[in-house]
Amino acid sequence: QVQLVESGGGLVQAGGSLRVSCTASGRTVSLYDLGWFRQAPGKEREFVGVVTGSGVTTYGADSVKGRFTVSRDNAKNTVYLQMNSLNPEDTAVYYCAARNTGWVTWNYWGQGTQVTVSS
């Protein structure tokens, strides 16, 4: 029902910033929560943040709070993840995900975009 495509990943030096984007297509996209996850090498997938269909933002680990910002442009069906003060621990594949607002399970996933932070 929803297709997600991430873009904007790349190589960044420690202390730098990067914004990744995810464009969603499908029916009733505005009713979905659009969120970000990441998976570092050898680690489990980690929740980063989400903007719900109602515009409420929530963040995950303390390590990203204050540095990462999730935003949403409903006119473009796009969710963004602005990452500031990056460090090598942020190196991961960043995935966009979607779920119907009010649900728990994330049903739709993008292909991921690689973010690499050099020391």
Side-chain angles (χ1 to χ4, degrees):
Q1 188 174 4
V2 177
Q3 295 178 334
L4 305 169
V5 180
E6 301 97 333
S7 63
L11 176 64
V12 186
Q13 291 186 339
S17 299
L18 191 68
R19 187 180 74 167
V20 292
S21 303
C22 172
T23 298
S25 61
R27 295 183 295 273
T28 63
V29 173
S30 63
L31 301 179
Y32 282 77
D33 297 345
L34 298 177
W36 289 96
F37 292 75
R38 67 182 183 182
Q39 188 167 19
K43 297 183 179 180
E44 298 292 327
R45 187 167 296 184
E46 175 189 27
F47 172 72
V48 176
V50 60
V51 183
T52 70
S54 300
V56 178
T57 59
T58 304
Y59 296 94
D62 290 339
S63 62
V64 309
K65 294 177 181 177
R67 299 188 300 120
F68 290 10
T69 302
V70 180
S71 61
R72 182 170 181 165
D73 186 340
N74 288 328
K76 298 181 178 180
N77 291 327
T78 300
V79 62
Y80 305 94
L81 179 64
Q82 177 68 46
M83 299 177 284
N84 299 323
S85 301
L86 287 163
N87 60 68
E89 301 302 320
D90 297 315
T91 295
V93 177
Y94 284 73
Y95 295 93
C96 181
R99 68 182 178 189
N100 201 299
T101 296
W103 292 35
V104 175
T105 302
W106 296 88
N107 296 110
Y108 305 98
W109 296 85
Q111 82 287 351
T113 184
Q114 176 70 47
V115 174
T116 302
V117 184
S118 61
S119 60

